[in-house]
Amino acid sequence: MHEILLKTAPQSETQENWALFLDFDGTLVDIVERPDAVFVDPALPKVLAELETRLGGALAVISGRPIAFLDARLGEHRFDIAGLHGLEHRIGGHLFLCDPDDHPRLREMVDRLQTVFRPKPGILIEDKGCSVAIHWRLAPIERDFVHATVHAALEALGSDYRVQFGKAVAEILPSAAGKGKVIEKFLQQAPYRGRRPVFIGDDLTDENGFRTVNAMGGFSVRIGAGETVAHERLGSPAELRHSLSVWAEGGSFPFQGGN
Ligand SMILES: [Mg+2]
């Protein structure tokens, strides 16, 4: 019965037939100098919850942050969500976490990186358990040193791990992780299955997700500057939040090329 309903659901002619995937930092909220000091517009959780209803539940936040960090900033509602670039996700209230104990070589490397970067006060190490992000936003002069150290770390770790560069950040994560892959995983399940994906992001890490939704006949939006394969560009997170709130209140799909 459920299957039949899904198969006969209206296709992309209707604006409600989107599955919406949203990055967090730089997309829904502004990038800040210290990654733990992010400010969430108080109206945002409600707008996202309304949009989720409008989209039949097909809305998920897709971030490099841990799910616990995102939950703590998105109010009481538990959104579908992917954290750590897809290493962990929650769909329909079912949580699939990554276990740091499965990554002993990475754990050892995190200890070594802490030691290497300790004398550099502007470099922040964000230990996410199954991945580690090294931020140099407060010490731009250290960029080359971070790059060289990260490449040496990767050589030691081998092909099970890769580096993901973002805005003044380098993250070492399992090679299997990626926003495109987790978006595909969501799209195999209700209520996402059969819907047309739209992914909105702001960074190099999101280009992988843009390519995935583009290849599936979906739509992609990049926030801010930078070379991109996305279909459309918006200037800032504030501009996106405005578009999403208009959409949530009953407006049509807020991006030009998507219909
Ligand atoms: Mg981002």
Side-chain angles (χ1 to χ4, degrees), residues 23-27 31 62 167 179 201-203 205-206:
D23 171 51
F24 184 71
D25 293 273
T27 298
I31 301 265
I62 308 288
K167 292 171 179 167
K179 290 187 174 179
D202 74 301
D203 205 345
T205 62
D206 302 314

Side-chain angles (χ1 to χ4, degrees), residues 24 28-29 40-49 74 79 241 244:
F24 184 71
L28 293 173
V29 302
V40 179
D41 184 315
L44 180 66
K46 187 165 173 275
V47 168
L48 294 182
L74 288 171
F79 293 96
R241 289 196 301 271
L244 294 180

